[in-house]
């Protein structure tokens, strides 16, 4: 299994690439074997700590501590890829930094048992679409963005239908949403794909709650 994973990593990762490992790098406590696996993998390796990377006292295992990680191992990390914000941790979060502003969240630990929601997804290599190796950021978010795009259209259509059914004019809707009429006009008149889905959800919730 380890050899198959190493081969898949090295098929996809160049020496200069950043390889983010979202926890549980090694169950083994054999320093020589752990070092062998580490040095067999291409890329500049960044470890986000998982439960199996820590000893009983919560400290980094000795077999991992002496390895030349690109940065010191941490419990979570926030970065950008292609201008998009990304928050990574070993565990899934219901909320994460800038989640309401379009940030993505990647996690592991759950072996695909927790459904992906919105811009949050399991990237463990045992998930079906990972094929026991890493994938690039743009590959990981492609399906997420397609689903989000469809949801945006559904929400936009539902807003239009409810406004007509409830005879709610834009000034009244703006007050319900606690935004200015100009902000609401920009939201409703702009290409829905350029609008934050969280803002659309706020408008939909407000109009659903209107008498």
């Amino acid at each position: 299994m380890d050899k198959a994973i190493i081969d898949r990593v090295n098929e996809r990762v160049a020496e200069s690439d950043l390889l983010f490992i979202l926890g549980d790098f090694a169950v083994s406590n054999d320093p020589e074997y752990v070092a062998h696996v580490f040095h067999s993998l291409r890329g500049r390796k960044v470890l986000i700590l998982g439960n199996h990377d820590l000893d009983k006292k919560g400290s980094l295992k000795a077999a991992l501590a002496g390895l030349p990680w690109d940065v010191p191992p941490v419990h979570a990390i926030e970065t950008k890829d292609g201008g998009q914000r990304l928050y990574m941790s070993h565990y899934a979060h219901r909320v994460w930094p800038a989640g309401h502003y379009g940030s993505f969240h990647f996690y592991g630990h759950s072996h695909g048992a927790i459904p992906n929601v919105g811009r949050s997804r399991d990237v463990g290599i045992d998930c079906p679409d990972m094929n026991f190796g890493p994938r690039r950021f743009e590959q990981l978010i492609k399906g997420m963005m397609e689903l989000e795009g469809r949801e945006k259209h559904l929400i936009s259509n539902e807003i239009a239908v409810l406004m007509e059914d409830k005879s709610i004019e834009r000034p009244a809707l703006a007050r319900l949403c606690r935004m200015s009429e100009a902000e609401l006009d920009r939201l409703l008149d702009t290409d829905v794909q350029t609008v934050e889905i969280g803002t659309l959800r706020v408008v939909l919730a407000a109009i659903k709650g209107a008498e």
Side-chain angles (χ1 to χ4, degrees), residues 4-5 8-9 12 123-126 129-135:
I5 292 171
R8 283 170 170 79
V9 170
R12 306 175 193 181
V123 296
I125 60 172
D126 53 356
D129 64 337
M130 299 298 290
N131 193 26
F132 290 96
R135 299 178 68 198

Side-chain angles (χ1 to χ4, degrees), residues 15 19 31 75 84 105 147 162 189 194:
E15 291 292 352
L19 175 64
H75 288 279
Q84 300 272 15
H105 170 41
L147 288 173
L162 287 172
D189 296 335
T194 66

Side-chain angles (χ1 to χ4, degrees), residues 102-188:
S103 174
F104 291 87
H105 170 41
F106 294 164
Y107 58 91
H109 185 69
S110 302
H111 307 286
I114 297 178
N116 301 331
V117 177
R119 295 192 174 192
S120 170
R121 67 153 293 165
D122 191 337
V123 296
I125 60 172
D126 53 356
C127 290
D129 64 337
M130 299 298 290
N131 193 26
F132 290 96
R135 299 178 68 198
R136 294 187 178 276
F137 177 77
E138 62 270 18
Q139 296 171 323
L140 290 166
I141 69 169
K142 185 175 184 293
M144 301 164 74
M145 298 306 293
E146 289 171 354
L147 288 173
E148 185 175 288
R150 289 197 288 271
E151 185 180 355
K152 284 181 178 181
H153 278 295
L154 290 172
I155 293 174
S156 179
N157 290 339
E158 191 171 359
I159 289 171
V161 169
L162 287 172
M163 286 181 69
E164 184 173 348
D165 288 350
K166 295 190 173 189
S167 300
I168 297 178
E169 300 294 333
R170 288 192 179 190
L173 181 57
R175 289 193 295 273
L176 286 171
C177 299
R178 298 181 180 180
M179 61 176 62
S180 69
E181 290 182 40
E183 289 175 317
L184 183 65
D185 286 341
R186 284 195 296 272
L187 175 68
L188 298 180

Side-chain angles (χ1 to χ4, degrees), residues 14 30-31 45 53 63 67 88 106 120 192 200:
D30 179 348
K45 292 169 279 290
D53 300 318
L67 297 175
M88 291 176 284
F106 294 164
S120 170
V192 70
L200 287 171

Side-chain angles (χ1 to χ4, degrees), residues 11-30:
E11 287 169 1
R12 306 175 193 181
V13 176
E15 291 292 352
S16 60
D17 287 340
L18 277 170
L19 175 64
F20 291 96
I21 300 166
L22 271 59
D24 294 351
F25 177 73
V27 176
S28 172
N29 290 316
D30 179 348

Side-chain angles (χ1 to χ4, degrees), residues 89-104:
S89 61
H90 181 60
Y91 301 101
H93 294 256
R94 293 179 65 187
V95 294
W96 58 92
H100 292 304
Y101 298 97
S103 174
F104 291 87

Side-chain angles (χ1 to χ4, degrees), residues 190-205:
T190 301
D191 178 2
V192 70
Q193 293 305 323
T194 66
V195 176
E196 290 291 343
I197 194 167
T199 307
L200 287 171
R201 288 173 179 151
V202 167
V203 174
L204 181 60

